Every structure is written in C-alpha cells, then in structure tokens.
Amino acid sequence: MSVGEYAFMNVSQRGNLPTLKSLFNRFEVYNKYPMKVFVDQLQSWGQPRPPGPKFAQYDKIVSEALRGVAFGGDPAALMADAEKKVQRILDR
C-alpha cells in the first residue's frame, strides 16, 4: 500500500483529517462551508512543526529500529530497545 493509498484510507475509513494536501479535494466535505474555511486557512497559514532539539537523535534511533524490523529483526524487541533509548534522551 502506498503512502497516498494509506492516507486516503485513513480519511475515508477513520474520518481523520487528510495528511496530504492533495487529498482535501477528493473529499466533498472539505470543499464546502464550514470545513472549506478551515482548509483555506490551513493551506494559507499552516506550517510544519519544526524538529525539536533532540529530533536528530530520536530520528536516528527510530530509523535504525525500523531498518532492523525491515530486515527481519524482532519488532517487539527492537522497538522496546528504541523506546528505552529515546526515553533516556528525553529525560536528559
């Protein structure tokens, strides 16, 4: 399943807000008042959240854990280890 397909499913089946700008036009509810006001403002003024000061460390740990899972590692063990490492960084 591609990212776009998953994002579409996330909106259509779960009712979440679209995470991709291109999806807003595919759902009629976002093209009519009152949601159209929200979408217009989001597209005009919305900014992605900037990475925090510990983001690089967090990103490296999580990426390594996900890579390990992708290459056949035990997901529970790898993610539990990543969680401990990230928590130590956040606790500093």
Side-chain angles (χ1 to χ4, degrees):
M1 179 179 290
S2 73
V3 172
E5 291 169 336
Y6 178 78
F8 180 83
M9 181 193 69
N10 199 28
V11 177
S12 62
Q13 293 180 6
R14 296 183 181 142
N16 294 335
L17 287 172
T19 54
L20 300 175
K21 189 177 180 180
S22 61
L23 288 179
F24 282 105
N25 291 332
R26 294 178 67 182
F27 294 92
E28 186 60 33
V29 68
Y30 297 112
N31 296 312
K32 297 186 301 187
Y33 180 85
M35 291 306 288
K36 179 76 171 123
V37 175
F38 167 75
V39 171
D40 290 345
Q41 291 300 307
L42 181 64
Q43 291 180 352
S44 295
W45 298 99
Q47 296 289 324
R49 194 175 291 165
K54 299 175 184 179
F55 178 78
Q57 294 167 305
Y58 161 85
D59 184 53
K60 182 176 186 248
I61 292 167
V62 172
S63 294
E64 287 173 358
L66 291 173
R67 190 174 303 112
V69 171
F71 286 109
D74 177 31
L78 288 167
M79 297 314 289
D81 185 52
E83 178 185 15
K84 289 175 191 169
K85 290 176 181 176
V86 168
Q87 192 60 53
R88 280 195 298 263
I89 290 168
L90 294 175
D91 289 342
R92 287 188 208 160

